[in-house]
Amino acid sequence: MASKAAAFHAWASGFGIPAYPAASVPKGARMPYLTYSFGSAAWGEEPFAAEADLWYPAESGEAVPNAKAEEIGAALGGCGSVLRCDGGAMRVLRGSPFWQALRDDDPAVQRRFINLDIEFYTND
């Protein structure tokens, strides 16, 4: 079974573009890619508020990153995605608002900010 972080990374990597922890984007990474924040909790604790960001070159236009954000939303549906991990499972849910376009300091970048909630069903 995978660790919580590895299970989440595998899920985030399942959308056809590379996924990286926000603090570990390799130098020279080429857009498009997804970055994410991830933390840990256990059964009975409040859901963890995570975020993901989609990074696309501006020449992609608005429709392409919007469609990828909607693809992630469709994968979550109304009940979220359950990810098995060491010690149990976790459920990734749509946060609110689910996604929004953000202006990046670099005009060559299209960015989409995605809110996620993660419920943990583990003992640690």
Side-chain angles (χ1 to χ4, degrees):
M1 196 67 55
S3 69
K4 294 174 191 177
F8 186 80
H9 180 79
W11 176 82
S13 296
F15 296 100
I17 59 175
Y20 307 108
S24 299
V25 177
K27 285 190 185 244
R30 297 188 60 171
M31 294 182 281
Y33 58 83
L34 179 150
T35 60
Y36 61 84
S37 65
F38 181 78
S40 184
W43 175 255
E45 295 178 0
E46 292 294 320
F48 176 78
E51 72 175 68
D53 289 280
L54 296 171
W55 303 88
Y56 276 81
E59 62 264 14
S60 297
E62 293 280 328
V64 175
N66 291 353
K68 184 61 70 175
E70 291 297 331
E71 176 187 341
I72 294 168
L76 293 171
C79 297
S81 293
V82 175
L83 314 179
R84 299 228 176 258
C85 61
D86 291 342
M90 55 190 170
R91 183 166 61 147
V92 182
L93 300 153
R94 297 166 66 111
S96 181
F98 176 58
W99 72 267
Q100 57 189 320
L102 292 182
R103 180 180 300 253
D104 194 78
D105 292 337
D106 183 347
V109 173
Q110 290 278 347
R111 180 176 166 209
R112 299 298 177 269
F113 177 83
I114 299 172
N115 286 303
L116 302 169
D117 289 327
I118 304 174
E119 296 175 343
F120 291 88
Y121 304 100
T122 60
N123 290 325
D124 62 347

